């Protein structure tokens, strides 16, 4: 069950497990992702540069804080995010971090179509790299690709929940403000 504390979406242990179960994210997937950690450590800088080079081709996306002043910070944050996918810690802190990332993207106004599309860019860049490592073992490659799909799907769920929660929270606040205004207008007419 999702719960709300003020403006923050909170997901409890039971809900985390339900989400993992629903996408079929098991201990085997954790181990497969952790197995890629060294490969990701070795390729993270190149990956992040390729990621931003790709999305910079889309002015609608590049408009969201990709100026020369903020680019080093974005590269660092993106590298941290990438590596966290392969650390094997998919606990409450992981879920909270993903909710926070969704909140940040909501606050800066990144449309969901671009946020969600970025996960596809991730896969376009990661899968060939992973395939190169496991091209002699098709079964292992498929298992790893599915593990990556599962963890990124969990991340997308959390981000979209953050977007929806933020929109609902802002709508509720605006509704409350409108009610105060209506009450003031009604009282002034008396």
């Amino acid at each position: 069950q999702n719960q709300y504390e003020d403006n923050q979406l909170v997901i409890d242990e039971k809900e985390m497990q339900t989400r993992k179960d629903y996408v079929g994210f098991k201990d085997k997937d954790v181990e497969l992702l952790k197995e890629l950690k060294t490969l990701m450590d070795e390729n993270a800088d190149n990956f992040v540069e390729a990621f931003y080079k790709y999305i910079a081709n889309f002015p609608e996306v590049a408009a969201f804080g990709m100026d020369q002043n903020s680019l080093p910070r974005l590269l660092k944050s993106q590298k941290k995010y990438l590596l966290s996918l392969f650390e094997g810690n998919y606990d409450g802190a992981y879920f909270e971090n993903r909710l926070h990332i969704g909140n940040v993207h909501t606050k800066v106004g990144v449309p969901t179509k671009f946020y969600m599309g970025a996960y596809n860019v991730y896969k376009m860049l990661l899968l060939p790299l992973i395939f190169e490592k496991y091209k002699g073992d098709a079964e292992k490659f498929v298992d790893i690709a599915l593990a990556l799909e599962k963890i990124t799907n969990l991340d997308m769920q959390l981000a979209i929940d953050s977007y929806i929660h933020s929109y609902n929270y802002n709508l509720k606040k605006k509704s409350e403000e409108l009610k105060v205004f209506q009450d003031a207008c009604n009282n002034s007419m008396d």
Side-chain angles (χ1 to χ4, degrees):
Q1 179 81 23
N2 295 343
Q3 297 179 0
Y4 304 93
E5 294 177 5
D6 296 323
N7 185 23
Q8 185 61 42
L9 176 61
V10 177
I11 295 181
D12 62 23
E13 291 288 329
K14 183 179 178 206
E15 177 66 11
M16 285 187 280
Q17 192 58 53
T18 298
R19 288 173 185 239
K20 289 177 184 179
D21 291 345
Y22 189 73
V23 299
F25 190 73
K26 307 284 184 208
D27 290 342
K28 175 186 174 188
D29 299 304
V30 172
E31 294 309 312
L32 289 167
L33 292 170
K34 284 171 48 178
E35 187 176 315
L36 291 174
K37 184 160 178 26
T38 301
L39 179 68
M40 293 305 130
D41 285 340
E42 293 168 353
N43 290 280
D45 290 326
N46 290 336
F47 172 88
V48 170
E49 286 178 27
F51 176 79
Y52 277 103
K53 183 178 179 184
Y54 182 88
I55 65 174
N57 289 317
F58 299 87
E60 309 95 318
V61 180
F64 292 100
M66 287 182 51
D67 58 62
Q68 291 304 315
N69 294 330
S70 60
L71 195 55
R73 179 183 49 78
L74 291 173
L75 291 170
K76 183 179 175 183
S77 294
Q78 199 63 237
K79 181 178 178 179
K80 182 179 177 182
Y81 173 78
L82 170 70
L83 295 176
S84 72
L85 289 171
F86 304 96
E87 289 177 353
N89 300 320
Y90 310 106
D91 56 8
Y94 182 90
F95 275 66
E96 285 178 27
N97 176 261
R98 285 352 192 221
L99 291 170
H100 173 73
I101 290 170
N103 283 333
V104 169
H105 284 83
T106 301
K107 285 179 184 173
V108 298
V110 176
T112 54
K113 63 183 175 184
F114 295 128
Y115 186 86
M116 299 295 286
Y119 284 99
N120 191 61
V121 176
Y122 252 67
K123 292 172 202 166
M124 288 179 353
L125 296 171
L126 285 174
L127 289 175
L129 183 65
I130 296 167
F131 178 76
E132 189 60 35
K133 180 174 174 77
Y134 293 101
K135 63 184 171 190
D137 188 347
E139 185 177 336
K140 181 83 169 231
F141 171 73
V142 169
D143 287 344
I144 288 174
L146 289 172
L148 179 62
E149 179 63 30
K150 292 170 189 178
I151 196 60
T152 56
N153 186 284
L154 283 170
D155 283 10
M156 287 187 281
Q157 289 177 30
L158 294 166
I160 294 307
D161 281 349
S162 289
Y163 272 79
I164 292 168
H165 177 67
S166 178
Y167 295 147
N168 287 340
Y169 179 80
N170 289 333
L171 185 60
K172 179 182 172 196
K173 285 296 190 191
K174 292 293 180 194
S175 179
E176 290 169 359
E177 290 171 12
L178 182 58
K179 174 89 171 91
V180 168
F181 178 72
Q182 284 176 322
D183 289 348
C185 287
N186 290 339
N187 290 338
S188 70
M189 297 177 128
D190 292 338

